[in-house]
Amino acid sequence: MKLLHSPTSPYARKVRVVAAEKKLELELVLSDPWVPNPALDAANPLGKVPALLTDDGSSLFDSRVIVEYLDGLSPVHRLIPDGTRDRIAVKRWEAIADGLQDAAIIARLEFNRPDKNESSAKQIERQRGKIAASLAEMSRELGDADLCVGKTFTLADIATACAVGYVSLRFPDIAWAEQYPNLARHYKKMAARASFKSTDPAPPKA
Ligand code: GSF
């Protein structure tokens, strides 16, 4: 299987960590979504990374579909539980984590615009509000627990750590680790796992 990815994409990182946890081999293919990229467009009509080329020649996207596919490929270390209640809880965590990343990416694109104006500032503020609200919700949901859902390491833990790691990478001024010590504690634990170490785009801040 080939993964079209970029090292700093938090969605791609989530997929790489899932593959590592599942002991699945992925051939990593660097793919820049921000320049004309026919190979990426052929794999994903949305022209976004990550995209997975499977061994049977089909392509899969987006990251939520890819991780579910990889998790189902082998019974080794299930990351998405079978039971409806826990499964939905895991997917909810993933939705917050991915949504935080969506907001972070929009804010960054707006910040990097050469023709920034008043509406860019409003948009950045709006998206930063979503980042702040997502971090608050994650911290509230985690509470004193070691793991996001139940007592087993799941996709929720991976998605959450990728999201907060991305905030550190792109928004070092957001002091989430100081504000939410429980999220920092969780991140530290995740970052110590071999699967995270081998996929870290930048040294962990927390
Ligand atoms: C989001 C992928 C995405 O935005 C997923 O895979 O879960 N919902 C999708 N990828 C960005 C790169 S990144 O910053 O992670 C991307 O490829 N953007 C290119 C574009 O044209 O928006």
Side-chain angles (χ1 to χ4, degrees):
M1 289 182 289
K2 287 185 186 171
L3 184 72
L4 308 190
H5 84 129
S6 83
T8 53
S9 164
Y11 313 93
R13 187 180 188 201
K14 178 178 66 175
V15 172
R16 295 196 307 273
V17 173
V18 164
E21 291 285 345
K22 299 288 293 182
K23 312 268 181 255
L24 293 166
E25 282 273 326
L26 286 185
E27 184 187 331
L28 298 179
V29 180
L30 276 180
S31 191
D32 186 346
W34 303 109
V35 297
N37 190 331
L40 181 58
D41 292 344
N44 178 355
L46 301 167
K48 295 185 181 192
V49 290
L52 184 77
L53 302 176
T54 65
D55 288 340
D56 67 8
S58 56
S59 68
L60 290 177
F61 49 87
D62 61 6
S63 65
R64 295 190 212 185
V65 175
I66 298 172
V67 294
E68 188 151 355
Y69 173 75
L70 296 179
D71 194 39
L73 277 185
S74 95
V76 174
H77 198 164
R78 288 309 292 261
L79 297 169
I80 304 175
D82 280 333
T84 305
R85 203 182 134 125
D86 281 354
R87 180 187 165 79
I88 294 300
V90 166
K91 296 302 250 179
R92 184 180 188 277
W93 275 98
E94 188 182 24
I96 303 175
D98 283 13
L100 184 161
Q101 291 162 189
D102 294 344
I105 286 161
I106 296 171
R108 195 171 126 80
L109 287 175
E110 209 55 53
F111 184 79
N112 288 337
R113 272 170 78 124
D115 57 341
K116 266 199 296 246
N117 55 27
E118 205 180 305
S119 77
S120 318
K122 278 199 185 123
Q123 176 71 291
I124 293 169
E125 197 186 317
R126 187 171 140 77
Q127 298 304 327
R128 286 181 72 113
K130 291 174 195 285
I131 297 171
S134 305
L135 289 167
E137 173 69 2
M138 286 170 159
S139 172
R140 195 190 61 75
E141 278 279 310
L142 182 63
D144 291 337
D146 282 340
L147 297 165
C148 295
V149 177
K151 293 194 172 3
T152 322
F153 173 83
T154 65
L155 173 63
D157 298 296
I158 298 174
T160 299
C162 289
V164 296
Y166 188 70
V167 175
S168 291
L169 180 70
R170 296 301 196 202
F171 296 85
D173 65 301
I174 299 181
W176 62 267
E178 286 79 30
Q179 198 176 357
Y180 301 115
N182 63 341
L183 282 185
R185 173 178 48 76
H186 178 265
Y187 182 74
K188 240 181 197 150
K189 195 178 278 183
M190 293 305 123
R193 292 179 81 92
S195 58
F196 272 87
K197 283 193 190 147
S198 64
T199 57
D200 195 355
K205 286 219 107 193

